[in-house]
Amino acid sequence: MKSYEVNFDGLVGPTHNYGGLSYGNVASQSNSQQSSNPKEAALQGLAKMKALMEMGFQQGVLAPQERPDVAALRRLGFAGSDAQVIERAAKDAMPLLVASCSASSMWVANAATVSPSADTSDGRVHFTAANLNCKYHRSIEHPTTSRVLGAMFADQKHFAHHAALPAVAQFGDEGAANHTRFCHDYGQAGVEFFVFGRSAFDTRYPAPQKYPARQTLEASQAVARLHGLSDDGVVYAQQNPSVIDQGVFHNDVIAVGNGEALFYHEDAFLETDKMLVELQAKLAKRGGNFQAICVPRSQVTVEDAVRSYLFNSQLLSRADGSMLLIVPEECRGNERVWQYLQGLTSSGGLIREVKVFDLKQSMQNGGGPACLRLRVALNQTELAAVNPGVIMTAPLYDTLTQWVDKHYRDRLSENDLADPQLLLECRTALDELTQILKLGAVYPFQIN
Ligand code: SUG
């Protein structure tokens, strides 16, 4: 049976703004307080989805969340009508209002970890929503993420959903941003590669000195257990703490894998050679021929990687067996990175083509092409069981661009977040969106 990697891209929400909320994420911090353009952000994301669909890839869409998150503000003690809750938060605790307005759920690589049915003990596709416990503004995403994923992948015969891990730092889990799967074919058993930043309980593992390591080994191990993965189909590796301290807050800022290939920076991991040997051996047992494509620091520095998001690219398999790399415009703007990419595609290796996308609105918050998508490998039967409302088509693209044009503002600054009208605009837009995507009631304002 034919199998596919389906990319579900996060639709940017109407409150997209630069809140400076992510310590350790260089772009988020350096663009703090700038005004944003939510309409442009959403249209840039939709343009990428449309382009991939037109290239023949399976493409889906993942809905944004209700923001401002009034229910989250109520949990922090703000009371009264919804408008009063926002007004009081703006007056007494602006950082909390800003956090409750973040459109950060757009980076759906952090929504969940997904294991395809060929890898799991019960033969179903498993999802574990990420607790995103390291940052308050992201830690409030997972309940709605779980409802949205449940509405997209509802058929329990094929799909199993796990609640986010316990919401404590020891189980910090950032989802698929620290998870990659290698396989010979999407439908065959593969090797799931979990990358962690630190261990919560084992002091033998080093930790970064400056910025937080968001993902723990214990969280990755718990996800592997929940999904019923076998030991010979899993490899754990530690991210180099020194790159975390240089702004690599997720592994997908310094490495990307697909099929049998891992494209990574020389400084990305600790004990790289041991890790490569294990990946090669485990993939070989599953019929795969592992290929490591290492980018040397002499050609691209970690700083270049963080600025350009070279590794936050989408590595896609083409029909002829070669691969295509989807990179952000910032890669073209960096001379060394662009030169490296020219050499890579002309060398006759696996990666033959690079396509560039303008995702500046998201990039300014540290989210590139790979952050914006959640990969779900599905066989034909499973794909047919997905809620058809979320699969991208030309008519859906048209409907969604019209919906964005109708509901989104083209400028948003911190002061605008206190406008109670913004909440009404968002709820009106999202109510309509749940009908467009046929999701049913998934938002707190629709349920309570
Ligand atoms: O968690 N930025 C996100 C970016 C996530 C990128 N995802 C992956 N690498 N997979 C984060 O740091 C910034 C929000 C703000 O500052 O307004 C933010 O949340």
Side-chain angles (χ1 to χ4, degrees):
M1 191 180 340
K2 205 166 161 32
S3 293
Y4 311 87
E5 177 189 87
V6 189
N7 282 282
F8 290 88
D9 275 45
L11 185 56
V12 178
T15 59
H16 161 63
N17 73 95
Y18 300 118
L21 298 169
S22 277
Y23 179 65
N25 167 345
V26 177
S28 153
Q29 291 188 272
S30 51
N31 293 304
S32 173
Q33 307 290 316
Q34 277 191 34
S35 59
S36 63
N37 184 336
K39 184 177 282 188
E40 186 175 56
L43 294 177
Q44 286 175 343
L46 280 164
K48 173 163 90 76
M49 297 184 224
K50 178 171 183 257
L52 263 69
M53 174 191 74
E54 286 176 346
M55 282 183 249
F57 297 104
Q58 298 285 341
Q59 181 68 54
V61 60
L62 223 151
Q65 303 211 348
E66 179 189 342
R67 295 289 181 270
D69 188 335
V70 177
L73 289 171
R74 287 187 189 282
R75 286 196 297 276
L76 298 176
F78 298 100
S81 65
D82 288 346
Q84 283 168 333
V85 165
I86 290 171
E87 191 188 313
R88 287 170 185 166
K91 188 166 146 283
D92 298 342
M94 195 57 190
L96 297 183
L97 177 64
V98 175
S100 82
C101 287
S102 178
S104 54
S105 68
M106 71 169 90
W107 300 298
V108 294
N110 305 117
T113 306
V114 187
S115 294
S117 57
D119 296 352
T120 62
S121 53
D122 67 0
R124 294 190 292 169
V125 183
H126 282 244
F127 300 80
T128 296
N131 62 25
L132 298 172
N133 195 59
C134 184
K135 307 281 175 218
Y136 171 68
H137 72 288
R138 303 220 60 184
S139 71
I140 57 179
E141 291 175 26
H142 69 84
T144 297
T145 300
S146 288
R147 281 194 296 274
V148 173
L149 289 174
M152 294 166 68
F153 304 95
D155 187 339
Q156 290 180 15
K157 199 163 113 222
H158 297 293
F159 307 119
H161 295 272
H162 305 278
L165 297 177
V168 290
Q170 283 105 323
F171 291 106
D173 177 21
E174 301 275 319
N178 296 314
H179 173 261
T180 294
R181 175 176 185 260
F182 300 103
C183 58
H184 179 65
D185 178 273
Y186 294 121
Q188 285 174 17
V191 176
E192 301 204 13
F193 180 49
F194 290 86
V195 181
F196 59 95
R198 69 184 177 97
S199 165
F201 298 107
D202 190 336
T203 51
R204 284 172 304 176
Y205 295 94
Q209 301 295 307
K210 186 176 171 197
Y211 291 144
R214 298 195 195 184
Q215 180 88 30
T216 67
L217 169 62
E218 291 76 7
S220 299
Q221 289 169 329
V223 171
R225 274 192 297 272
L226 286 165
H227 292 194
L229 305 180
S230 67
D231 287 346
D232 53 358
V234 171
V235 173
Y236 298 99
Q238 183 168 11
Q239 223 185 328
N240 182 349
S242 98
V243 300
I244 297 180
D245 281 339
Q246 292 171 75
V248 182
F249 56 97
H250 289 136
N251 179 59
D252 69 3
V253 176
I254 196 101
V256 58
N258 171 48
E260 298 173 324
L262 173 64
F263 178 61
Y264 68 102
H265 190 275
E266 185 178 0
D267 293 329
F269 307 102
L270 288 183
E271 300 195 79
T272 309
D273 291 342
K274 193 171 144 230
M275 170 198 99
L276 293 175
V277 168
E278 191 180 351
L279 282 170
Q280 194 276 332
K282 287 188 169 170
L283 191 59
K285 282 203 186 136
R286 298 186 166 212
N289 179 21
F290 181 69
Q291 298 187 49
I293 307 167
C294 176
V295 180
R297 71 176 82 88
S298 58
Q299 287 185 49
V300 174
T301 64
V302 172
E303 192 189 339
D304 287 329
V306 171
R307 283 183 188 279
S308 67
Y309 263 39
L310 166 62
F311 297 95
N312 200 258
S313 46
Q314 286 179 254
L315 188 55
L316 300 167
S317 299
R318 301 198 293 192
D320 66 359
S322 71
M323 289 195 190
L324 160 72
L325 201 62
I326 303 288
V327 301
E329 188 65 57
E330 284 72 3
C331 285
R332 188 150 52 190
N334 180 307
E335 208 176 309
R336 279 180 302 277
V337 167
W338 194 240
Q339 209 174 351
Y340 173 81
L341 284 172
Q342 301 306 305
L344 179 73
T345 49
S346 58
S347 67
L350 189 63
I351 303 175
R352 304 269 167 79
E353 195 188 353
V354 169
K355 279 199 188 295
V356 180
F357 283 82
D358 179 3
L359 297 163
K360 188 162 185 247
Q361 286 289 324
S362 166
M363 282 289 288
Q364 292 189 146
N365 252 340
C371 301
L372 286 163
R373 59 95 174 96
L374 181 67
R375 298 184 283 185
V376 186
L378 298 168
N379 65 34
Q380 250 166 340
T381 314
E382 291 155 357
L383 182 56
V386 176
N387 178 342
V390 299
I391 300 296
M392 188 54 79
T393 58
L396 179 59
Y397 170 79
D398 290 340
T399 306
L400 289 174
T401 49
Q402 284 157 20
W403 172 81
V404 168
D405 277 330
K406 177 171 154 199
H407 294 287
Y408 280 49
R409 298 188 185 191
D410 57 12
R411 192 172 186 285
L412 208 58
S413 64
E414 194 177 282
N415 288 340
D416 299 319
L417 303 178
D419 176 5
Q421 185 58 32
L422 183 66
L423 174 69
L424 297 179
E425 283 170 31
C426 293
R427 286 182 174 171
T428 306
L430 293 181
D431 211 28
E432 205 175 302
L433 183 70
T434 49
Q435 292 165 43
I436 295 171
L437 300 179
K438 302 188 174 52
L439 291 174
V442 288
Y443 297 117
F445 78 92
Q446 296 174 317
I447 298 166
N448 302 325

